[in-house]
Amino acid sequence: MATPKDHRIALTVIAGVSLFSIISCIVVFIILMAYNSHRVNIPLIKITLSIQSVHAIALVITLLLNDINIRTELLCSTLRYVLYCCYLTSIFLCCAITIHLWLVITRRKLNQTRRNERWYYIISFTFAILLSAALAVIPNSAYRIPNRCLIAVVPSRQYLGIRWGLYYSWFIIASAISILCMLSVLSSARKLTHTTHLRGRSFQSSTEAYRNAVNARANSKRLRSLVFYTIAYPLISFICNFPQLILELLSTVLEKELDALRLVSSLLLYSEGLFLALAFFFYPAVQHSIRDINNSAVQCWVVEQEEFWRLKKNEMKCAQNARILGDEPSISMMDQRDIKKFTSWKGRFYHWVLMRTSEGKRASIL
């Protein structure tokens, strides 16, 4: 039988894994922005990185609250409501993703989406800060709790009413807006990717028709992957936050502790960062950017380096033959920068790492 200490350790491990995944996403995004910014410098990816950034802050606070016994009520209250602010911001930004895709695909207002990009962040952060501040200034007597550092295992009706008015109701509103936008986007995407031939007209195959058909299939595949990725974030947010809502509601109505449901809801809430990170790495623009960087690295550190060593080997062979025949050795045609780059430990290390990838193995046998 697992003890509460075991549950706390499991939650800490899950939170740590999620935090590591989010940090990995942020590091990968910075690298992609440095080397391939034209693919990833788009509103959709920047919004998702903002969601993961606030989740990273939330997970750090969660680890502090779980592993450190904080007795100062002011510090504990501040950390807890910064945590609420982060979760509310992520909920509103997930809603902003679906609104963005609704404007792009359903309404087809590309210029308006570029102008509205800053408002996604302004509105989300403003609402989250105001609602969290309202939760913070309400006195303990209204919550029916003696100390803000204490967690209400069985919330009172007043406590639940405040939480519903300032937290869960906005989560439901944002989720409802996301669902409506998702349904509209799915309907529009189906119309854009569904093509039929006109009745009563004979279809004649031609090069132009074939090219149009190929482009239509490619565009439909790209659009479906974009729609799937955009819907994934609001769904992950809803699935990971909804059990917490049900937990507080059932605990108040039944007036008893629900340890199993509390553990499941906490696991899902702490795992949200991990799921968001997986969705980020499945996004086509991220995968294409990583592939482009990998291809460029293979071109430099595998193809060009092996060509360098072939030339160097030929020069050494020619110099040896010249010494045997008593002739003057020929002047090296290799650039000194290439010699320094490819003979250094860094060049050899990059070559060794890239040769373990599928693209590096393919390039080495060309």
Side-chain angles (χ1 to χ4, degrees):
M1 186 68 180
T3 62
K5 183 178 180 181
D6 296 332
H7 294 166
R8 191 179 301 110
I9 293 173
L11 293 175
T12 302
V13 171
I14 292 295
V17 172
S18 296
L19 181 60
F20 174 78
S21 303
I22 290 176
I23 293 174
S24 300
C25 289
I26 296 173
V27 171
V28 169
F29 176 75
I30 294 172
I31 294 173
L32 295 180
M33 281 293 294
Y35 291 97
N36 203 355
S37 61
H38 69 280
R39 282 190 182 273
V40 296
N41 190 17
I42 57 177
L44 198 58
I45 294 185
K46 288 189 285 187
I47 294 174
T48 57
L49 259 295
S50 301
I51 295 172
Q52 292 175 355
S53 299
V54 296
H55 262 287
I57 299 173
L59 288 171
V60 170
I61 296 174
T62 300
L63 291 173
L64 290 175
L65 292 174
N66 287 347
D67 297 337
I68 299 176
N69 186 15
I70 301 176
R71 298 182 179 180
T72 306
E73 184 176 2
L74 178 61
L75 178 58
C76 184
S77 178
T78 302
L79 291 176
R80 197 170 298 282
Y81 289 106
V82 170
L83 184 67
Y84 293 152
C85 182
C86 292
Y87 282 129
L88 283 169
T89 303
S90 68
I91 291 168
F92 292 142
L93 286 175
C94 285
C95 179
I97 289 178
T98 56
I99 294 174
H100 172 76
L101 196 65
W102 176 73
L103 290 173
V104 172
I105 295 178
T106 303
R107 303 291 295 176
R108 301 184 186 180
K109 295 184 177 180
L110 299 179
N111 294 328
Q112 185 175 349
T113 57
R114 296 188 185 96
R115 293 195 302 268
N116 292 346
E117 181 181 353
R118 64 182 181 275
W119 291 105
Y120 298 147
Y121 305 98
I122 293 174
I123 294 175
S124 298
F125 280 98
T126 301
F127 268 86
I129 291 172
L130 291 177
L131 292 172
S132 299
L135 286 169
V137 299
I138 294 176
N140 293 343
S141 58
Y143 285 105
R144 299 291 179 90
I145 55 175
N147 192 310
R148 293 295 177 93
C149 293
L150 300 176
I151 299 176
V153 179
V154 181
S156 64
R157 297 186 182 276
Q158 291 82 356
Y159 180 93
L160 185 64
I162 294 171
R163 293 267 291 177
W164 267 82
L166 297 175
Y167 187 84
Y168 291 120
S169 62
W170 291 97
F171 166 69
I172 293 174
I173 291 171
S175 300
I177 294 173
S178 298
I179 291 172
L180 291 176
C181 291
M182 283 190 289
L183 293 175
S184 178
V185 166
L186 288 173
S187 176
S188 300
R190 183 178 179 276
K191 293 177 183 177
L192 290 173
T193 58
H194 182 67
T195 56
T196 56
H197 297 300
L198 295 175
R199 295 182 178 179
R201 294 186 181 181
S202 60
F203 178 75
Q204 295 180 354
S205 178
S206 64
T207 303
E208 187 66 25
Y210 175 74
R211 187 181 297 113
N212 292 336
V214 171
N215 291 334
R217 286 196 297 269
N219 291 333
S220 64
K221 183 179 179 180
R222 191 178 301 114
L223 183 61
R224 283 194 297 269
S225 63
L226 179 64
V227 170
F228 168 77
Y229 170 79
T230 308
I231 290 176
Y233 266 70
L235 283 180
I236 290 171
S237 176
F238 180 80
I239 292 171
C240 293
N241 286 275
F242 189 71
Q244 196 74 23
L245 180 152
I246 297 299
L247 170 66
E248 293 196 5
L249 182 62
L250 291 179
S251 299
T252 304
V253 173
L254 300 178
E255 296 183 351
K256 67 177 185 179
E257 299 182 17
L258 302 173
D259 295 332
L261 183 57
R262 179 176 298 279
L263 177 61
V264 171
S265 63
S266 299
L267 284 174
L268 284 174
L269 189 62
Y270 295 169
S271 301
E272 185 176 358
L274 175 61
F275 297 146
L276 294 176
L278 292 175
F280 172 80
F281 284 113
F282 276 110
Y283 183 50
V286 175
Q287 292 183 345
H288 293 161
S289 298
I290 294 174
R291 193 178 300 117
D292 290 345
I293 293 177
N294 183 50
N295 292 341
S296 300
V298 167
Q299 173 67 29
C300 175
W301 298 106
V302 175
V303 177
E304 294 182 7
Q305 185 166 174
E306 292 197 352
E307 180 66 22
F308 165 80
W309 286 111
R310 281 195 293 267
L311 291 175
K312 188 173 181 61
K313 185 177 179 180
N314 290 334
E315 285 192 357
M316 291 174 63
K317 187 175 180 181
C318 293
Q320 185 179 4
N321 293 335
R323 283 195 300 269
I324 294 173
L325 298 175
D327 298 334
E328 288 291 332
S330 59
I331 300 175
S332 176
M333 301 299 294
M334 290 186 292
D335 192 347
Q336 292 297 323
R337 289 175 297 181
D338 290 341
I339 296 174
K340 183 178 180 180
K341 180 171 69 173
F342 294 135
T343 57
S344 63
W345 67 267
K346 183 174 70 172
R348 295 174 184 270
F349 175 73
Y350 288 164
H351 181 270
W352 181 83
V353 171
L354 292 169
M355 281 296 293
R356 268 63 187 171
T357 64
S358 58
E359 188 65 27
K361 293 177 181 178
R362 190 180 300 113
S364 63
I365 62 176
L366 293 178

PDB file of all heavy atoms in Angstrom, residues 204-215:
ATOM      1  N   GLN A 204     -10.199  15.305 -68.117  1.00  0.00           N
ATOM      2  CA  GLN A 204      -9.077  15.000 -68.987  1.00  0.00           C
ATOM      3  C   GLN A 204      -7.774  15.177 -68.207  1.00  0.00           C
ATOM      4  O   GLN A 204      -7.554  16.216 -67.590  1.00  0.00           O
ATOM      5  CB  GLN A 204      -9.072  15.924 -70.216  1.00  0.00           C
ATOM      6  CG  GLN A 204     -10.272  15.728 -71.114  1.00  0.00           C
ATOM      7  CD  GLN A 204     -10.236  16.652 -72.320  1.00  0.00           C
ATOM      8  OE1 GLN A 204      -9.369  17.508 -72.401  1.00  0.00           O
ATOM      9  NE2 GLN A 204     -11.161  16.449 -73.230  1.00  0.00           N
ATOM     10  N   SER A 205      -6.964  14.110 -68.224  1.00  0.00           N
ATOM     11  CA  SER A 205      -5.693  14.162 -67.512  1.00  0.00           C
ATOM     12  C   SER A 205      -4.726  15.070 -68.250  1.00  0.00           C
ATOM     13  O   SER A 205      -4.641  15.061 -69.476  1.00  0.00           O
ATOM     14  CB  SER A 205      -5.106  12.756 -67.404  1.00  0.00           C
ATOM     15  OG  SER A 205      -3.868  12.805 -66.773  1.00  0.00           O
ATOM     16  N   SER A 206      -4.011  15.865 -67.504  1.00  0.00           N
ATOM     17  CA  SER A 206      -3.014  16.756 -68.075  1.00  0.00           C
ATOM     18  C   SER A 206      -1.941  17.003 -67.034  1.00  0.00           C
ATOM     19  O   SER A 206      -2.102  16.697 -65.855  1.00  0.00           O
ATOM     20  CB  SER A 206      -3.642  18.087 -68.516  1.00  0.00           C
ATOM     21  OG  SER A 206      -4.154  18.776 -67.405  1.00  0.00           O
ATOM     22  N   THR A 207      -0.833  17.579 -67.476  1.00  0.00           N
ATOM     23  CA  THR A 207       0.257  17.874 -66.544  1.00  0.00           C
ATOM     24  C   THR A 207      -0.186  18.882 -65.487  1.00  0.00           C
ATOM     25  O   THR A 207       0.129  18.743 -64.301  1.00  0.00           O
ATOM     26  CB  THR A 207       1.463  18.418 -67.316  1.00  0.00           C
ATOM     27  OG1 THR A 207       1.850  17.461 -68.302  1.00  0.00           O
ATOM     28  CG2 THR A 207       2.628  18.687 -66.380  1.00  0.00           C
ATOM     29  N   GLU A 208      -0.931  19.892 -65.912  1.00  0.00           N
ATOM     30  CA  GLU A 208      -1.396  20.917 -64.981  1.00  0.00           C
ATOM     31  C   GLU A 208      -2.374  20.344 -63.970  1.00  0.00           C
ATOM     32  O   GLU A 208      -2.312  20.659 -62.768  1.00  0.00           O
ATOM     33  CB  GLU A 208      -2.065  22.052 -65.757  1.00  0.00           C
ATOM     34  CG  GLU A 208      -2.433  23.260 -64.905  1.00  0.00           C
ATOM     35  CD  GLU A 208      -1.207  23.974 -64.353  1.00  0.00           C
ATOM     36  OE1 GLU A 208      -0.127  23.866 -64.975  1.00  0.00           O
ATOM     37  OE2 GLU A 208      -1.337  24.614 -63.292  1.00  0.00           O
ATOM     38  N   ALA A 209      -3.261  19.455 -64.434  1.00  0.00           N
ATOM     39  CA  ALA A 209      -4.218  18.843 -63.513  1.00  0.00           C
ATOM     40  C   ALA A 209      -3.514  17.956 -62.492  1.00  0.00           C
ATOM     41  O   ALA A 209      -3.857  17.944 -61.300  1.00  0.00           O
ATOM     42  CB  ALA A 209      -5.248  18.020 -64.291  1.00  0.00           C
ATOM     43  N   TYR A 210      -2.523  17.215 -62.971  1.00  0.00           N
ATOM     44  CA  TYR A 210      -1.777  16.348 -62.053  1.00  0.00           C
ATOM     45  C   TYR A 210      -1.017  17.186 -61.026  1.00  0.00           C
ATOM     46  O   TYR A 210      -0.983  16.858 -59.841  1.00  0.00           O
ATOM     47  CB  TYR A 210      -0.809  15.467 -62.841  1.00  0.00           C
ATOM     48  CG  TYR A 210       0.075  14.621 -61.962  1.00  0.00           C
ATOM     49  CD1 TYR A 210      -0.427  13.510 -61.296  1.00  0.00           C
ATOM     50  CD2 TYR A 210       1.420  14.947 -61.777  1.00  0.00           C
ATOM     51  CE1 TYR A 210       0.378  12.736 -60.482  1.00  0.00           C
ATOM     52  CE2 TYR A 210       2.232  14.177 -60.963  1.00  0.00           C
ATOM     53  CZ  TYR A 210       1.705  13.077 -60.321  1.00  0.00           C
ATOM     54  OH  TYR A 210       2.507  12.317 -59.517  1.00  0.00           O
ATOM     55  N   ARG A 211      -0.408  18.277 -61.488  1.00  0.00           N
ATOM     56  CA  ARG A 211       0.322  19.153 -60.562  1.00  0.00           C
ATOM     57  C   ARG A 211      -0.618  19.752 -59.524  1.00  0.00           C
ATOM     58  O   ARG A 211      -0.287  19.836 -58.334  1.00  0.00           O
ATOM     59  CB  ARG A 211       1.031  20.251 -61.353  1.00  0.00           C
ATOM     60  CG  ARG A 211       1.952  21.107 -60.475  1.00  0.00           C
ATOM     61  CD  ARG A 211       2.619  22.207 -61.284  1.00  0.00           C
ATOM     62  NE  ARG A 211       3.496  21.661 -62.316  1.00  0.00           N
ATOM     63  CZ  ARG A 211       3.287  21.771 -63.614  1.00  0.00           C
ATOM     64  NH1 ARG A 211       2.206  22.422 -64.062  1.00  0.00           N
ATOM     65  NH2 ARG A 211       4.121  21.240 -64.490  1.00  0.00           N
ATOM     66  N   ASN A 212      -1.800  20.157 -59.950  1.00  0.00           N
ATOM     67  CA  ASN A 212      -2.779  20.707 -59.009  1.00  0.00           C
ATOM     68  C   ASN A 212      -3.223  19.661 -57.991  1.00  0.00           C
ATOM     69  O   ASN A 212      -3.410  19.966 -56.805  1.00  0.00           O
ATOM     70  CB  ASN A 212      -3.987  21.246 -59.769  1.00  0.00           C
ATOM     71  CG  ASN A 212      -3.645  22.472 -60.586  1.00  0.00           C
ATOM     72  OD1 ASN A 212      -2.684  23.183 -60.293  1.00  0.00           O
ATOM     73  ND2 ASN A 212      -4.416  22.727 -61.634  1.00  0.00           N
ATOM     74  N   ALA A 213      -3.395  18.425 -58.455  1.00  0.00           N
ATOM     75  CA  ALA A 213      -3.803  17.366 -57.535  1.00  0.00           C
ATOM     76  C   ALA A 213      -2.722  17.084 -56.500  1.00  0.00           C
ATOM     77  O   ALA A 213      -3.002  16.895 -55.310  1.00  0.00           O
ATOM     78  CB  ALA A 213      -4.132  16.100 -58.325  1.00  0.00           C
ATOM     79  N   VAL A 214      -1.471  17.044 -56.939  1.00  0.00           N
ATOM     80  CA  VAL A 214      -0.361  16.812 -56.010  1.00  0.00           C
ATOM     81  C   VAL A 214      -0.261  17.943 -54.992  1.00  0.00           C
ATOM     82  O   VAL A 214      -0.092  17.719 -53.788  1.00  0.00           O
ATOM     83  CB  VAL A 214       0.962  16.649 -56.788  1.00  0.00           C
ATOM     84  CG1 VAL A 214       2.145  16.624 -55.818  1.00  0.00           C
ATOM     85  CG2 VAL A 214       0.941  15.374 -57.611  1.00  0.00           C
ATOM     86  N   ASN A 215      -0.386  19.196 -55.465  1.00  0.00           N
ATOM     87  CA  ASN A 215      -0.327  20.334 -54.554  1.00  0.00           C
ATOM     88  C   ASN A 215      -1.494  20.321 -53.572  1.00  0.00           C
ATOM     89  O   ASN A 215      -1.335  20.671 -52.394  1.00  0.00           O
ATOM     90  CB  ASN A 215      -0.324  21.643 -55.338  1.00  0.00           C
ATOM     91  CG  ASN A 215       0.958  21.846 -56.122  1.00  0.00           C
ATOM     92  OD1 ASN A 215       2.004  21.312 -55.759  1.00  0.00           O
ATOM     93  ND2 ASN A 215       0.896  22.607 -57.203  1.00  0.00           N
TER      94      ASN A 215
END
